[in-house]
Amino acid sequence: MDKVIDDVVNSITNSEAYKKCLEIKEKMKDNTDISTRVNKIKRLQKEYIRSNDENILKELDNLKEELNSIPIYHMYNQYLEEVNQMISYVNDELNNYFNNLFN
């Protein structure tokens, strides 16, 4: 069973989407525009949870829209979505396997 799990993990980590995610993530580390917006979003999310202020929510939406308009960030999210879909597929298959096994 360990070999099968290793094969699945290797399949995902050797995929083009995963490699691109890592590559783009590394490039984004040096982008102060992205890191500033991400940090501000995190701070505002905490504030919104505490206050439930609709103005903060609007500001969050605007910041997220600005962030998604940055090409490298947008590309990163596309590849990340692809990787997450692969992981979700494996998760679903494992759930189905164990449901069938125990039911």
Side-chain angles (χ1 to χ4, degrees):
M1 183 80 163
D2 286 346
K3 173 144 176 41
V4 172
I5 292 172
D6 287 343
D7 288 346
V8 170
V9 170
N10 287 333
S11 174
I12 293 172
T13 59
N14 289 326
S15 72
E16 186 66 25
Y18 183 82
K19 290 176 184 178
K20 282 290 193 181
C21 270
L22 294 179
E23 179 185 319
I24 295 170
K25 186 177 181 180
E26 193 61 35
K27 288 179 184 177
M28 287 192 314
K29 283 182 182 179
D30 299 327
N31 189 319
T32 56
D33 191 31
I34 291 173
S35 60
T36 300
R37 282 190 169 98
V38 167
N39 289 333
K40 189 169 184 180
I41 287 171
K42 288 177 183 179
R43 183 180 53 78
L44 286 172
Q45 286 172 330
K46 289 176 186 176
E47 282 182 38
Y48 176 72
I49 289 171
R50 282 184 242 136
S51 69
N52 213 18
D53 182 348
E54 290 298 316
N55 292 322
I56 294 174
L57 189 58
K58 289 176 187 173
E59 189 176 353
L60 271 168
D61 288 341
N62 289 336
L63 274 170
K64 288 177 183 179
E65 193 174 304
E66 289 173 16
L67 193 56
N68 285 318
S69 72
I70 300 171
I72 191 169
Y73 185 82
H74 181 73
M75 190 182 319
Y76 171 75
N77 277 324
Q78 287 178 321
Y79 285 116
L80 185 60
E81 177 65 27
E82 194 175 326
V83 170
N84 285 335
Q85 286 175 354
M86 286 186 269
I87 294 168
S88 179
Y89 176 75
V90 170
N91 184 46
D92 291 345
E93 289 299 312
L94 285 171
N95 284 335
N96 288 339
Y97 173 79
F98 286 110
N99 279 335
N100 291 334
L101 188 64
F102 294 116
N103 292 326

